[in-house]
């Protein structure tokens, strides 16, 4: 996930959080918000540049401040279902690319986002631990694509991949929703919680990259 994408979406997320209910009724916000969240998370699963984690956290912040019942439950169901369907669609497209003589742009996109060293690590972990690796890959920033590609190269059928990916998507949605709940509970104004959730999501995304740079840097 790039840094520019969440920063570009941050004003939109914050603006939606501070929209007065007197201007837009809460029922209208929900009618627009949940389908929008579904589409964006689904698109983010297919094109991994949309900050889907930040979107889920921000939606959870807004849900904390709503009076309607089951708002948080709807965020969780919407996010996890969209992530699961998006992953299944991307995996299906990747399998089609493997079977095609000319490959596919989807398969090439997956390969371009999975460096050789990370792909090798994913293949080793998948061989040793099987489906459990899928759950961890969804929770690790930039870990989903290498593991998905490892599953493709191991010729896992879509059904087997989906069985492991379902709990992975549920755990992912729950984790980022908890970030949003924390942000929404700590701040009185929704926009403050949205900014905090986005900042924390960015921090979680940056830590693995910084750690890899530190490990790979030559020691004096």
């Amino acid at each position: 996930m790039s840094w520019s994408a969440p920063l570009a979406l941050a004003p939109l997320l914050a603006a939606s959080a501070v929209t007065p209910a007197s201007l837009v009724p809460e029922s209208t916000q929900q009618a627009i918000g949940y389908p929008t969240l579904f589409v964006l998370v689904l698109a983010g699963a297919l094109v991994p540049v949309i900050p889907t984690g930040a979107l889920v956290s921000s939606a959870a912040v807004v849900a904390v401040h709503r009076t309607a019942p089951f708002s948080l439950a709807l965020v969780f169901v919407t996010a996890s279902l969209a992530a699961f369907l998006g992953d299944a669609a991307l995996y299906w497209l990747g399998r089609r690319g493997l079977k095609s003589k000319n490959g596919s742009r989807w398969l090439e996109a997956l390969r371009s986002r999975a460096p050789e060293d990370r792909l090798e690590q994913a293949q080793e972990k998948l061989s040793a631990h099987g489906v459990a690796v899928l759950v961890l890959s969804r929770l690790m920033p930039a870990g989903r694509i290498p593991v998905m590609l490892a599953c493709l190269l191991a010729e896992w059928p879509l059904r087997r991949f989906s069985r492991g990916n379902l709990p992975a998507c549920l755990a992912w949605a729950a984790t980022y929703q908890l970030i949003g709940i924390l942000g929404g509970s700590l701040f009185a104004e929704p926009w403050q919680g949205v900014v905090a959730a986005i900042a924390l999501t960015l921090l979680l995304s940056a830590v693995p990259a910084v750690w890899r740079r530190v490990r790979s840097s030559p020691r004096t």
Side-chain angles (χ1 to χ4, degrees):
M1 181 179 67
S2 65
W3 284 75
S4 59
L7 291 175
L9 282 176
L12 293 176
L13 296 170
S16 65
V18 299
T19 302
S22 58
L23 297 179
V24 181
E26 193 168 291
S27 59
T28 303
Q29 293 180 33
Q30 293 188 30
I32 297 173
Y34 294 123
T36 302
L37 177 64
F38 180 88
V39 170
L40 288 176
V41 173
L42 181 68
L46 288 168
V47 185
V49 294
I50 298 175
T52 52
L55 289 170
V56 175
S57 297
S58 300
V61 170
V62 177
V64 167
H65 289 272
R66 281 180 174 160
T67 59
F70 308 117
S71 293
L72 285 170
L74 287 173
V75 170
F76 174 75
V77 171
T78 300
S80 55
L81 179 61
F84 176 76
L85 293 178
D87 283 355
L90 184 59
Y91 193 80
W92 179 76
L93 290 168
R95 280 182 59 82
R96 286 193 62 187
L98 284 176
K99 296 178 181 179
S100 172
K101 293 181 179 180
N102 299 323
S104 73
R105 63 189 183 93
W106 294 101
L107 184 59
E108 289 303 317
L110 287 174
R111 290 184 181 276
S112 66
R113 293 184 173 275
E116 285 299 323
D117 58 334
R118 302 200 65 188
L119 177 58
E120 289 179 3
Q121 292 177 6
Q123 289 175 310
E124 292 174 359
K125 292 178 180 178
L126 188 67
S127 177
H129 304 289
V131 170
V133 177
L134 282 173
V135 178
L136 294 176
S137 72
R138 254 290 180 181
L139 299 178
M140 292 292 294
R144 179 175 69 102
I145 296 302
V147 172
M148 181 182 289
L149 186 55
C151 292
L152 285 169
L153 296 177
E155 298 184 350
W156 279 24
L158 177 59
R159 181 176 298 180
R160 183 182 182 186
F161 172 80
S162 297
R163 282 201 304 266
N165 195 49
L166 178 58
C169 291
L170 294 175
W172 170 82
T175 299
Y176 281 99
Q177 185 166 357
L178 285 174
I179 293 174
I181 292 173
L182 179 62
S185 301
L186 290 176
F187 299 96
E189 295 296 330
W191 71 267
Q192 295 172 327
V194 168
V195 172
I198 292 174
L200 184 54
T201 304
L202 284 172
L203 180 62
L204 291 174
S205 301
V207 167
V210 173
W211 176 248
R212 286 195 297 272
R213 286 186 180 182
V214 170
R215 290 187 61 186
S216 61
S217 60
R219 297 181 180 180
T220 56

